Amino acid sequence: MKFGQWLGLLGLVAALLLLWSLRQSLMHLFAAVVLAMALCTLVGAIRKRLNCSRPLALLLSLGVVGLVLTVVATAVIPPFVDQFAQLLAKLPAAAETLLDLLRRGLANASQMLYGSGGDSVSWLRNGLMGEPGAPGLSSGLGSGLGPSLGSGALRLLGLAGGLGTALLQALFVVAVALMVAVQPVPYREVAVLLVPSFYRRRFRQILVQCGEALSAWMVGVLISSLCVGTLAAIGLTLLGVKLVAANALLAGLLNIIPNVGPTLSTVFPVSVALLDAPWKALAVLLLYIGVQNLESYLITPSVMHHQLRLLPGLTLTAQLLFTVVFGPLGLLLALPLAVCLQVIVREVLIHDILDPWKRQRLEA
């Protein structure tokens, strides 16, 4: 290659390394874009209903969002925090109950297979029960009190620093989202100017399609999450499980994260039900499996109207890859990223590159 080509290749490598070093900031920027698209979707719905100007629709949208946040902060969050604290307090007892059931099951299986004197699975049963005569948690407490206090103080400082950083990042995301929502077209044109001039018109169309896909995804996720939370609340109430509000709200919120979220939302109600009766825990598990299947095969297809046909395997792969590359924020934004990448791959790679190349080969 010539010197200019080597220089271009070096510039490309440097740009990729720069993007890699800024990947967390780019994810925060993408989160701001997703929030801005949610606000723009609400603005568009209000303009369509009331036939008003965009500034007025934006003010009404911000008022609606502020009202919803106020209601959530005053009426939903306090009981949720209280019930969630009770959930966390019940988890150790639920784990102990589950271990006790496993011990009994292993003992019965050992007796059935090896007779009353059989001890072939004692190593596993002892592992669940704990070694006899093992020292308790209180042994050596006084000798390690000083280091424990020091490590505890360091953990508190680290936690405070992490919370402060997360708060600043959240404020940055909200501020950028509001700025983009006020003037979405100029910011879109800035992105359009970053591509070569011959492709700008086409790239503008692709960005519009990405925005429409994100809007359809957000509306669908909102409706499906509300349905999942409502169905979970009704089912838990009928089964007589405690802490219904916290469990139903968790089911609706974690439904935003596909595959992983519904699994996590099952842990808490099953743990609470296990303290009452094993059959109730099994009933709760079956309830959540039924709700998730209903959401996957009936609610989501009806809401999306086949606008976003993401295969479950591709969704799970995207979650894994984005979590490895971007961390927990990548897991949270895996689905909107997959939605945008699907549009880009379909429009750029398939329609603009592969299809013309195929036609040229056929003509030749």
Side-chain angles (χ1 to χ4, degrees):
M1 292 191 299
K2 298 181 180 180
F3 176 74
Q5 294 174 332
W6 279 108
L7 190 62
L9 179 60
L10 183 61
L12 178 61
V13 172
L16 292 177
L17 291 176
L18 179 63
L19 291 176
W20 176 258
S21 63
L22 296 175
R23 62 187 184 278
Q24 293 297 329
S25 299
L26 293 176
M27 285 300 295
H28 293 140
L29 185 60
F30 181 74
V33 171
V34 172
L35 286 180
M37 285 305 306
L39 191 56
C40 289
T41 302
L42 182 59
V43 169
I46 292 178
R47 291 188 66 185
K48 185 178 180 180
R49 293 284 183 180
L50 302 180
N51 195 19
C52 58
S53 61
R54 179 177 175 79
L56 179 59
L58 181 60
L59 289 177
L60 291 176
S61 301
L62 292 176
V64 170
V65 172
L67 179 62
V68 171
L69 291 178
T70 303
V71 171
V72 169
T74 56
V76 178
I77 290 182
F80 171 74
V81 171
D82 181 56
Q83 292 193 10
F84 188 71
Q86 295 180 40
L87 279 176
L88 294 180
K90 290 178 180 293
L91 284 180
E96 184 63 29
T97 304
L98 180 61
L99 287 176
D100 187 60
L101 290 175
L102 291 177
R103 294 166 192 161
R104 294 178 184 177
L106 287 173
N108 293 332
S110 177
Q111 186 174 3
M112 291 175 60
L113 292 175
Y114 303 103
S116 58
D119 201 29
S120 298
V121 292
S122 59
W123 60 274
L124 182 56
R125 189 169 63 252
N126 290 335
L128 291 174
M129 292 180 180
E131 292 293 336
L137 293 176
S138 60
S139 62
L141 184 60
S143 61
L145 183 60
S148 298
L149 289 177
S151 61
L154 291 177
R155 290 176 182 175
L156 286 178
L157 289 176
L159 179 62
L163 290 176
T165 302
L167 180 60
L168 289 177
Q169 292 173 352
L171 290 176
F172 167 78
V173 169
V174 172
V176 174
L178 290 176
M179 294 176 186
V180 174
V182 171
Q183 293 180 318
V185 176
Y187 286 99
R188 187 185 65 195
E189 293 303 316
V190 170
V192 170
L193 291 176
L194 296 177
V195 301
S197 57
F198 70 90
Y199 198 70
R200 286 173 183 169
R201 179 179 297 179
R202 174 62 175 155
F203 188 65
R204 186 180 294 110
Q205 297 173 355
I206 294 173
L207 288 181
V208 171
Q209 293 185 25
C210 287
E212 293 174 351
L214 278 177
S215 298
W217 169 76
M218 285 182 285
V219 172
V221 166
L222 178 62
I223 296 176
S224 64
S225 296
L226 289 175
C227 293
V228 167
T230 303
L231 292 174
I234 295 173
L236 293 175
T237 303
L238 293 177
L239 290 174
V241 179
K242 300 176 182 179
L243 308 177
V244 174
N247 286 315
L249 189 57
L250 280 176
L253 291 176
L254 293 176
N255 186 65
I256 299 175
I257 307 175
N259 302 317
V260 178
T263 304
L264 292 177
S265 67
T266 310
V267 174
F268 298 99
V270 169
S271 301
V272 174
L274 189 61
L275 295 176
D276 292 338
W279 70 265
K280 190 176 290 187
L282 180 60
V284 170
L285 180 61
L286 295 177
L287 168 68
Y288 271 64
I289 291 175
V291 169
Q292 290 303 321
N293 279 279
L294 188 65
E295 185 270 338
S296 300
Y297 297 107
L298 181 61
I299 298 175
T300 297
S302 300
V303 171
M304 296 296 185
H305 298 293
H306 303 287
Q307 295 177 11
L308 300 173
R309 289 175 289 184
L310 290 175
L311 297 176
L314 294 180
T315 303
L316 187 60
T317 303
Q319 286 179 296
L320 177 62
L321 292 178
F322 293 140
T323 304
V324 171
V325 176
F326 300 111
L329 189 59
L331 175 63
L332 185 61
L333 297 175
L335 200 53
L337 277 170
V339 168
C340 293
L341 287 177
Q342 177 182 256
V343 174
I344 292 173
V345 169
R346 183 184 67 234
E347 298 298 326
V348 177
L349 181 62
I350 297 178
H351 290 173
D352 295 346
I353 297 178
L354 296 181
D355 287 349
W357 177 77
K358 181 178 178 181
R359 285 194 298 268
Q360 291 176 1
R361 291 294 300 270
L362 291 176
E363 292 174 357

